Amino acid sequence: MKVLLINGSAKPQGCTARALQEVVCILEEKGVEYEIVNLGGAPVRDCIGCNKCGAVLKNNTCIFDDDIVNTLIAKAKDCDGFVFGTPVYYAHPSGRVLSLLDRMFYAGGRVFKHKPAFAVASARRAGTTASLDVINKYFTIAQMPVASSSYWTMVHGNTPQEVEEDKEGLMTLRNAARNLVWLMECIQAGKEKGIEPPKNESGIRTNFVRA
């Protein structure tokens, strides 16, 4: 089993990175392979709704090949679980995370389907629950089980050292990581027993409703 962790902060050693490291501790304890990808400070262009990507052609690729989105979609194919981390700015995830998620899930949503995930939000003070809500919507529309925890998966602090002091936040991330591993194990056990994911309906798109 393998987990892909994405750090949506421009700071590879900042508060979000410290939060994800707490998840990594549990993955290592459980013997789960993992990879961390730092988005860094380079801009990530947003989706323009051109309908020329994998959503239409079913090839799991975005037409804008900027060495990040398609690379991550390719990595996701071979992963069993995901953790998306983001700093919180104006009560929402970072812009680069949202651009990444829009393009990854629109072009390559098939590679995430039925695989568990959870989001991590890092803030000095507030805006964390709103940010988690935004990211969780990507998971649920892709039919992904969301690994829950004993509280919301967030940490608080203005520096990595301050995040260290958020003992409850770090505990919550460890619990979420344990639940993520458990979900992956349950899914794997189900596959070994011949239990396949449901084949759901598709193709119906209602643009408006008339009374």
Side-chain angles (χ1 to χ4, degrees), residues 1 3 5 18-34 36 83 118 147-149 169-185:
M1 295 187 298
V3 173
L5 302 97
R18 175 60 190 89
L20 293 177
Q21 194 57 46
E22 202 69 15
V23 175
V24 165
C25 290
I26 299 302
L27 298 180
E28 291 179 341
E29 177 186 297
K30 299 292 186 180
V32 175
E33 185 182 355
Y34 65 88
I36 300 177
V83 181
F118 69 91
S148 57
S149 186
L170 295 177
M171 176 194 71
T172 303
L173 298 186
R174 293 194 299 271
N175 287 338
R178 293 185 182 101
N179 287 339
L180 179 70
V181 174
W182 174 69
L183 281 171
M184 292 191 299
E185 290 173 340

Side-chain angles (χ1 to χ4, degrees), residues 93-109:
S94 73
R96 62 180 52 82
V97 164
L98 293 179
S99 292
L100 179 81
L101 288 168
D102 280 351
R103 290 170 58 202
M104 282 181 68
F105 277 78
Y106 194 62

